[in-house]
Amino acid sequence: AQSVTQLGSHVSVSEGALVLLRCNYSSSVPPYLFWYVQYPNQGLQLLLKYTSAATLVKGINGFEAEFKKSETSFHLTKPSAHMSDAAEYFCAVSGSGGKLIFGQGTELSVKP
Amino acid sequence: DADVTQTPRNRITKTGKRIMLECSQTKGHDRMYWYRQDPGLGLRLIYYSFDVKDINKGEISDGYSVSRQAQAKFSLSLESAIPNQTALYFCATSDPGQGFSGELFFGEGSRLTVL
């Protein structure tokens, strides 16, 4: 069975600082992995996805994530945080039948 | 107009009442899903449907039922609402042509409060 664990329910960074949101997965088959972002009062939208083409995946708004099979990780990073990055971020893995299994979410706060 | 539309966006109801949340989509996707979001628990799958004649239970289907009225419409019902069903509910769609790598497209959510 597939599962996802996000380390840290809240992360706070200063504007301009590095953003690092951690995600570890468990999967019995080669995984497809996703990061979604949820802005206040909105639905989720896709930031980026890993589908085995390349281990370093670039997404929207300057975010990227690296798939590390040996560490079963898919951490999300952004070199320089912006105030507009404040949101909740969800890591997800593709489960059986094409369903997505989500992590618990990490709320990112950005301080001026 | 949004590609995935949920109604109502907000609803307050009382314990024991029947509630229906509706979802319609213009993306032409066969696959539709209902998720529930609770703080600290992420999103959990309630039901999903891969086409009009296919309905499947997710991980937390107890207390819920669904109806797939057409390719574009997927409704979630709470037959007798209880307070622990207070949550934010999301409808989503995906393109089966993408297989397991396909992303989900979400509606804006329906916030349900059961008193």
Side-chain angles (χ1 to χ4, degrees):
Chain A
Q2 289 79 12
S3 67
V4 169
T5 301
Q6 292 183 239
L7 301 177
S9 58
H10 296 274
V11 170
S12 182
V13 301
S14 297
E15 193 171 20
L18 171 72
V19 176
L20 171 60
L21 304 182
R22 300 177 186 273
C23 173
N24 288 90
Y25 70 90
S26 173
S27 178
S28 56
V29 298
Y32 294 112
L33 295 160
F34 305 77
W35 276 100
Y36 282 82
V37 60
Q38 183 183 25
Y39 298 105
N41 300 314
Q42 294 186 25
L44 282 72
Q45 63 184 81
L46 183 70
L47 267 180
L48 50 81
K49 65 179 180 181
Y50 166 76
T51 58
S52 76
T55 56
L56 183 61
V57 181
K58 294 187 183 299
I60 61 172
N61 301 335
F63 284 93
E64 63 182 35
E66 186 173 8
F67 172 71
K68 292 187 176 180
K69 183 178 179 180
S70 61
E71 299 177 7
T72 61
S73 68
F74 190 57
H75 301 331
L76 182 70
T77 60
K78 182 174 181 178
S80 177
H82 191 274
M83 296 296 291
S84 61
D85 295 326
E88 188 154 21
Y89 292 79
F90 293 92
C91 183
V93 63
S94 184
S96 61
K99 305 184 298 293
L100 284 193
I101 298 163
F102 287 86
Q104 305 92 321
T106 298
E107 184 175 355
L108 175 66
S109 301
V110 182
K111 299 175 291 185
Chain B
D1 288 342
D3 293 327
V4 183
T5 303
Q6 293 183 230
T7 55
R9 293 291 313 280
N10 287 283
R11 181 73 182 268
I12 299 174
T13 191
K14 295 182 178 180
T15 297
K17 294 292 188 181
R18 183 178 187 273
I19 293 296
M20 178 180 286
L21 306 180
E22 297 183 325
C23 177
S24 63
Q25 52 114 347
T26 58
K27 297 193 73 68
H29 291 165
D30 286 327
R31 296 182 175 183
M32 298 188 73
Y33 309 79
W34 276 104
Y35 281 89
R36 166 179 172 161
Q37 182 181 10
D38 297 278
L41 296 179
L43 279 76
R44 293 178 291 166
L45 184 62
I46 306 172
Y47 272 95
Y48 61 103
S49 169
F50 283 173
D51 64 42
V52 175
K53 296 181 180 180
D54 177 76
I55 301 290
N56 303 280
K57 293 182 177 180
E59 59 180 309
I60 55 163
S61 59
D62 287 349
Y64 301 95
S65 63
V66 291
S67 173
R68 185 80 184 266
Q69 300 95 325
Q71 186 209 36
K73 295 184 182 295
F74 191 37
S75 300
L76 176 72
S77 293
L78 290 67
E79 296 301 325
S80 180
I82 56 177
N84 75 1
Q85 291 177 314
T86 293
L88 183 57
Y89 291 85
F90 284 104
C91 176
T93 74
S94 71
D95 177 3
Q98 295 280 325
F100 287 6
S101 67
E103 69 177 279
L104 296 185
F105 296 86
F106 284 85
E108 294 189 326
S110 295
R111 185 169 296 280
L112 177 65
T113 302
V114 183
L115 302 177

